[in-house]
Amino acid sequence: MEAIFNYEPDEEEDFYKILGCNEHSNTVQITTEYKARVLSCHPDKHPGDESKDKQFRLLQQAKDVLCDEEKRRRYDQWKNAGISMSFSQWCSLRDSVHTSMHWGSVKTKPMIENDKPETTQHNLRKSDFDHVTISTHQDWNRDEPSEMLRKFRNYQI
């Protein structure tokens, strides 16, 4: 549990960045990027160089995950969930845990923003609405969500 609370994202787990592609890249693009990058760090060209060997293993792992449809789906699910654990830890969990895990993650930014400044929300009086008439139900607007509902939607409660 301590590892989850103290988790820091590692650049070695960002397979798209390692290969220099993005989430929309297809298998051919990923393989092409892999081939272009692996030439500079292949163990046969750099025998005994630990840093090149590590880079080669990372490229190999990234290609293996992103070129396999099932592994890529799981990786994208982990990456988009924002879970505070490494990909290898997350893979060791059951699928039922993956489904519900997003509720336990910390959301960094609110999903729903208040469009109106604070002053207009709290300084309204009944007399401000005396001139308003409602002609048909098509003109009706939904009420602004309450503060409690906004906090619930943003996982703050």
Side-chain angles (χ1 to χ4, degrees):
M1 199 61 154
E2 189 70 26
I4 292 174
F5 288 127
N6 296 328
Y7 175 76
E8 291 292 325
D10 189 2
E11 288 190 17
E12 292 181 358
E13 290 187 326
D14 190 353
F15 295 155
Y16 292 111
K17 188 174 181 179
I18 290 171
L19 290 172
C21 55
N22 63 28
E23 291 85 9
H24 304 291
S25 299
N26 61 26
T27 307
V28 174
Q29 293 169 325
I30 291 170
T31 306
T32 304
E33 288 292 336
Y34 167 77
K35 288 178 181 177
R37 292 172 191 272
V38 80
L39 292 174
S40 66
C41 64
H42 199 278
D44 292 343
K45 290 188 177 187
H46 305 280
D49 189 352
E50 291 295 323
S51 65
K52 297 289 184 182
D53 187 47
K54 181 179 179 181
Q55 185 179 1
F56 177 77
R57 282 186 274 123
L58 284 173
L59 285 168
Q60 184 67 38
Q61 181 185 15
K63 182 188 81 81
D64 289 345
V65 169
L66 297 181
C67 287
D68 183 297
E69 285 185 36
E70 180 61 25
K71 290 179 184 176
R72 185 174 182 175
R73 183 191 62 76
R74 291 172 60 100
Y75 177 77
D76 288 341
Q77 186 180 12
W78 167 78
K79 187 169 176 66
N80 293 328
I83 302 296
S84 297
M85 65 175 52
S86 69
F87 179 60
S88 59
Q89 286 175 322
W90 190 78
C91 284
S92 66
L93 300 174
R94 295 185 321 228
D95 286 337
S96 61
V97 176
H98 295 170
T99 304
S100 61
M101 185 72 85
H102 72 279
W103 292 105
S105 64
V106 176
K107 305 298 182 208
T108 56
K109 61 183 179 180
M111 295 170 61
I112 299 174
E113 295 287 335
N114 285 337
D115 293 341
K116 298 180 181 178
E118 291 290 322
T119 56
T120 59
Q121 290 181 0
H122 299 293
N123 296 333
L124 298 176
R125 298 180 304 270
K126 183 182 181 304
S127 61
D128 293 336
F129 296 100
D130 289 341
H131 66 283
V132 177
T133 58
I134 299 173
S135 57
T136 66
H137 89 293
Q138 293 174 344
D139 296 333
W140 294 0
N141 291 326
R142 296 185 75 193
D143 293 335
E144 292 292 324
S146 68
E147 184 65 17
M148 179 72 77
L149 181 60
R150 188 188 65 76
K151 285 183 178 182
F152 176 77
R153 287 179 179 165
N154 292 325
Y155 304 100
Q156 294 173 344
I157 57 170

